[in-house]
Amino acid sequence: MISVEEALNRLFALAGPLPSEPVSLLDAAGRVLAERVQATRDQPPFAASAMDGYAVGDASSGDVLKVIGESAAGHRFPGRIGRGQCVRIFTGAPVPEGAKRVVIQEDVTREGDRITLGDRLDRSDNIRPPGNDFRKGVSIDAPRMLSPNDVALLAAMNIPTVEVTRRPKVALISTGDELVVPGEVPGPDQIIASNTFGLHALLTRLGAAPRLLPIARDTEASLRTCFELVDDADLVITIGGASVGDHDLVAPVAARMGMEQAFHKVAMRPGKPLMSGRLGNAMMIGLPGNPVSAMVCGHVFVAPVIRAMLGLGATPAPRERAPLAAPVTQNGPREHYTRALLEDGALTVFERQDSSLLSILGAANALVVRPVQDPARAAGDTVDYLPL
Ligand code: AMP
Ligand code: MG
């Protein structure tokens, strides 16, 4: 059995970054920027007023000035402000020539076309100089998962399309005679395929394009039929049938279909029967069927693989550290990912850790990572965890 770290390294060896494609800014959020982009203009492109008020030249408290025109957003005042003059101005409007500052309207009294400046003028000049936000040529570097804020910045830079990494296409194959999909009426010996849907959600959130294939029954023919439906997927994920029981067909059938196996079995809990390799043009990951095992392997292995395919680098799932709220017993020979609740800055590991208990996973917001042979830990000891 190999370690989690070694398994990740072997997965990364199979998961290269995918090519890029152009997308409209409207489709760019959640995608990974693949090429550096540069602003094509200064923002603001002219000195702009930061407030509603009056643009004035050299003027001080008590001065009386004549209003000679107006500068509004999108409509500049074409002239120049001379001595004893001012221009009515609004937020975002170009500041006229000759203006030294914008006096906010609250600091002014107006009668007809005359204003009197108040006793205490705002200290700021209320002018945003050209390029105050960013200059032409300023860049956003790749790779970067684009957020809604990034999209706003790209739009301000006048960039209508961006090159992003193609979404990894992932085919999900559940296996088992006992499974039906949610909404179907299960037979007396059947259960609902659950982790399949959890993994689909996880993949979508990561920026992949998952697709559910029909459930493979526990026969070689059925499993082969599903593998043949994989089409042009970058990654095939099977769920279940990965151990060495009589009905666990994934490894032998995949091998007979030509899979080059990279590993089978990892020293971790839950998730020991994990396997991976290359099948045709796709990478293949065989997940254990137990609902929590499959989801934990999703967080520990599938998520970093998808990030690597997106060009975000080959790095393990990010860990954080926090103290334990209650003691934990010593760990055995496999790295243990225990469901826990992080509350008020401290971690409580749930008593029940059976890998069939999705309700405990649902209540958890952290996976506390117990290293191989980690001794018993007391309350207050700091441990690693993966945020969920
Ligand atoms: P297996 O690896 O096929 O032996 O499955 C281990 C356990 O996980 C069995 O109890 C299966 O019924 C269950 N299981 C397998 N696949 C799924 C799935 N997609 N959703 C929920 N439970 C599953
Ligand atoms: Mg099974």
Side-chain angles (χ1 to χ4, degrees):
M1 256 190 299
I2 59 171
S3 67
V4 169
E5 193 187 354
E6 177 60 21
L8 266 175
N9 287 338
R10 295 195 195 179
L11 289 170
F12 290 144
L14 296 169
L18 296 173
S20 68
E21 62 187 8
V23 293
S24 142
L25 215 45
L26 291 176
D27 298 317
R31 305 297 301 270
V32 176
L33 187 68
E35 282 175 13
R36 191 168 86 121
V37 290
Q38 286 187 296
T40 59
R41 54 190 268 128
D42 290 349
Q43 174 58 24
F46 43 77
S49 179
M51 300 296 272
D52 293 336
Y54 293 84
V56 303
D58 286 316
S60 38
S61 291
D63 285 2
V64 177
L65 305 170
K66 183 174 186 209
V67 184
I68 57 164
E70 178 180 297
S71 183
H75 306 277
R76 71 174 56 227
F77 173 73
R80 195 186 159 81
I81 298 175
R83 247 182 182 296
Q85 297 180 330
C86 68
V87 163
R88 177 73 171 125
I89 195 164
F90 301 96
T91 306
V95 174
E97 274 181 65
K100 292 276 172 64
R101 62 189 298 184
V102 170
V103 178
I104 61 172
Q105 59 196 32
E106 291 83 350
D107 287 352
V108 158
T109 41
R110 179 165 180 167
E111 271 173 65
D113 63 355
R114 306 260 152 201
I115 61 164
T116 308
L117 303 184
D119 303 343
R120 272 206 207 145
L121 300 182
D122 198 356
R123 263 199 229 134
S124 159
D125 66 5
N126 296 313
I127 294 175
R128 299 172 181 148
N132 190 40
D133 190 1
F134 55 79
R135 289 265 177 211
K136 181 177 174 177
V138 123
S139 61
I140 300 181
D141 291 330
R144 181 181 176 87
M145 175 69 84
L146 294 173
S147 70
N149 297 340
D150 294 329
V151 171
L153 180 56
L154 287 162
M157 290 175 160
N158 200 16
I159 294 165
T161 32
V162 282
E163 275 298 310
V164 296
T165 313
R166 180 163 73 60
R167 287 189 193 280
K169 295 179 200 164
V170 185
L172 279 169
I173 304 176
S174 314
T175 71
D177 286 350
E178 75 281 28
L179 301 177
V180 298
V181 294
E184 279 187 309
V185 181
D189 299 336
Q190 290 191 301
I191 59 163
I192 320 298
S194 56
N195 53 40
T196 320
F197 290 80
L199 289 162
H200 188 281
L202 179 67
L203 288 159
T204 303
R205 195 175 74 179
L206 289 163
R211 185 165 62 98
L212 290 193
L213 296 189
I215 295 172
R217 299 306 167 191
D218 289 323
T219 64
E220 172 151 359
S222 178
L223 192 54
R224 274 182 180 269
T225 303
C226 287
F227 275 130
E228 279 155 13
L229 291 172
V230 158
D231 204 17
D232 62 348
D234 304 295
L235 173 63
V236 184
I237 297 180
T238 60
I239 304 158
S243 312
V244 286
D246 294 350
H247 303 285
D248 293 322
L249 294 170
V250 172
V253 171
R256 285 199 280 281
M257 291 183 78
M259 183 177 84
E260 299 159 42
Q261 196 176 86
F263 64 84
H264 188 180
K265 291 198 176 63
V266 178
M268 73 183 289
R269 267 172 82 195
K272 180 169 110 180
L274 188 82
M275 78 178 86
S276 183
R278 182 154 278 287
L279 185 60
N281 292 325
M283 175 177 178
M284 186 247 173
I285 298 179
L287 297 179
N290 264 312
V292 176
S293 313
M295 293 307 294
V296 168
C297 288
H299 292 290
V300 175
F301 298 109
V302 177
V305 161
I306 295 297
R307 283 194 282 267
M309 287 181 162
L310 285 169
L312 291 170
T315 48
R319 292 184 181 188
E320 291 176 25
R321 286 173 70 73
L324 288 168
V328 291
T329 56
Q330 87 174 82
N331 188 33
R334 291 188 275 149
E335 193 161 287
H336 197 177
Y337 291 78
T338 54
R339 280 150 280 172
L341 186 66
L342 178 68
E343 214 175 17
D344 302 328
L347 290 156
T348 306
V349 174
F350 289 102
E351 194 77 36
R352 297 166 72 211
Q353 291 289 337
D354 185 280
S355 60
S356 65
L357 304 177
L358 276 179
S359 52
I360 306 282
L361 184 65
N365 59 9
L367 290 175
V368 167
V369 187
R370 304 293 311 283
V372 171
Q373 306 297 1
D374 193 35
R377 298 277 169 194
D381 284 1
T382 301
V383 293
D384 280 4
Y385 71 94
L386 305 185
L388 288 179

